[in-house]
Amino acid sequence: MLAKRRAESLCSKAHLFFALRSTRFMSPYVAEFVGTMILVLLGNGVCANVNLKKTLGHDSGWIVIATGWGLAVAFAVYMTSHISGAHLNPAVTIGLAAIGEFEMPQVAGYIVAQMLGGIAGAVLVWLTYLAHWKETTDASAIRGSFCNSPAIPDTLANLITEIIGTFVLVLGVLAILRPENLMPDTGFLEGFAPALVGLMVWSIGLSLGGPTGYAINPARDLGPRIAHFFLPIANKGDSGWGYSWIPVVGPIIGGIIAAFFYQALWPAAV
């Protein structure tokens, strides 16, 4: 009898737990905010770890940065893909909408959520490395922990680099994550879809990231750049507003071209 009562009590508590979980609020817009926040927290976090003085990861190099960003994307997509599709990037949202793969009325809300998530993630990076900003006197290293600057400033070349990098990203999202690749009927590989996106971002960083730091995401660059402008950071210098339009315009162009390129050449998914 006692065992039965304990079992009934456990069942009641479990029912209450799942009932409470079902009332929690997570809309696609909230998911885009949270996912982009996590992406920027982990992605810009690895940049800060490498760039800032007296961190345990100081000067650990480009491989660490590219790997950190790839993992950041993978984990952020895992967390939110089942709720919002895990765009986490205005270039992805706009590209998908351009070919009718995403509803146009939702585009503005997604982009606002992504931008706010980018700002929030950058603020969390600032708080995480709070003791290290004042130890760093190189303004470019501080800015590089928030947003991108080109290795060689050249407007046309930098714009082309961001277009190409985002073209590869959006084309990869559309072409690699096709149902026949993930075999949803058996479940084989379907759970690896976010990991594949992360691997693709890792590859883009290693192969194409050298000229501009591969923003390939307006929310990842502009959101943290806004945070950099407003946050009270010692020795931070300017926020690089003269360059700021390139990591916004380039990815949007690249995303749209990739979406139409995919639509023109790939057969409809079955």
Side-chain angles (χ1 to χ4, degrees):
M1 181 64 72
L2 181 59
K4 182 179 179 181
R5 287 178 180 174
R6 285 179 177 172
E8 289 175 349
S9 176
L10 287 173
C11 289
S12 178
K13 289 178 179 178
H15 177 76
L16 177 60
F17 173 74
F18 287 110
L20 288 172
R21 285 191 65 183
S22 68
T23 63
R24 292 177 183 173
F25 178 73
M26 178 63 94
S27 73
Y29 301 115
V30 174
E32 286 295 300
F33 169 82
V34 172
T36 309
M37 180 183 71
I38 295 298
L39 185 153
V40 170
L41 171 59
L42 296 179
N44 279 5
V46 74
C47 293
N49 192 22
V50 172
N51 291 336
L52 301 182
K53 296 290 187 180
K54 297 186 179 181
T55 69
L56 298 179
H58 180 59
D59 275 345
S60 50
W62 186 252
I63 300 297
V64 172
I65 289 177
T67 303
W69 270 107
L71 292 171
V73 170
F75 292 138
V77 173
Y78 268 118
M79 292 173 66
T80 58
S81 61
H82 59 293
I83 299 171
S84 68
H87 296 186
L88 314 182
N89 183 341
V92 173
T93 300
I94 293 170
L96 294 178
I99 60 171
E101 294 291 331
F102 184 67
E103 295 182 11
M104 194 64 71
Q106 291 184 284
V107 169
Y110 264 53
I111 292 175
V112 169
Q114 292 156 0
M115 291 300 303
L116 292 176
I119 294 171
V123 171
L124 291 177
V125 172
W126 172 66
L127 291 172
T128 301
Y129 287 91
L130 198 58
H132 293 270
W133 304 106
K134 64 179 180 293
E135 300 291 338
T136 306
T137 57
D138 184 351
S140 63
I142 293 173
R143 186 173 60 247
S145 303
F146 287 87
C147 51
N148 293 94
S149 297
I152 299 175
D154 183 309
T155 299
L156 180 59
N158 300 153
L159 183 65
I160 290 172
T161 296
E162 287 295 328
I163 290 172
I164 292 172
T166 314
F167 173 86
V168 173
L169 172 66
V170 174
L171 183 63
V173 167
L174 289 167
I176 295 173
L177 303 186
R178 288 174 61 89
E180 55 266 38
N181 287 340
L182 303 177
M183 296 191 292
D185 292 339
T186 63
F188 184 67
L189 286 182
E190 192 170 12
F192 289 97
L196 294 175
V197 177
L199 284 172
M200 184 168 52
V201 171
W202 189 28
S203 178
I204 292 170
L206 293 175
S207 302
L208 307 175
T212 62
Y214 74 117
I216 59 174
N217 182 344
R220 167 267 177 275
D221 187 273
L222 183 57
R225 196 180 297 270
I226 292 170
H228 176 274
F229 179 78
F230 284 105
L231 287 171
I233 306 170
N235 308 312
K236 71 176 181 179
D238 69 89
S239 298
W241 292 111
Y243 179 76
S244 64
W245 67 273
I246 290 177
V248 173
V249 175
I252 291 173
I253 294 173
I256 292 173
I257 293 173
F260 281 109
F261 185 80
Y262 170 83
Q263 188 182 58
L265 297 182
W266 267 257
V270 293

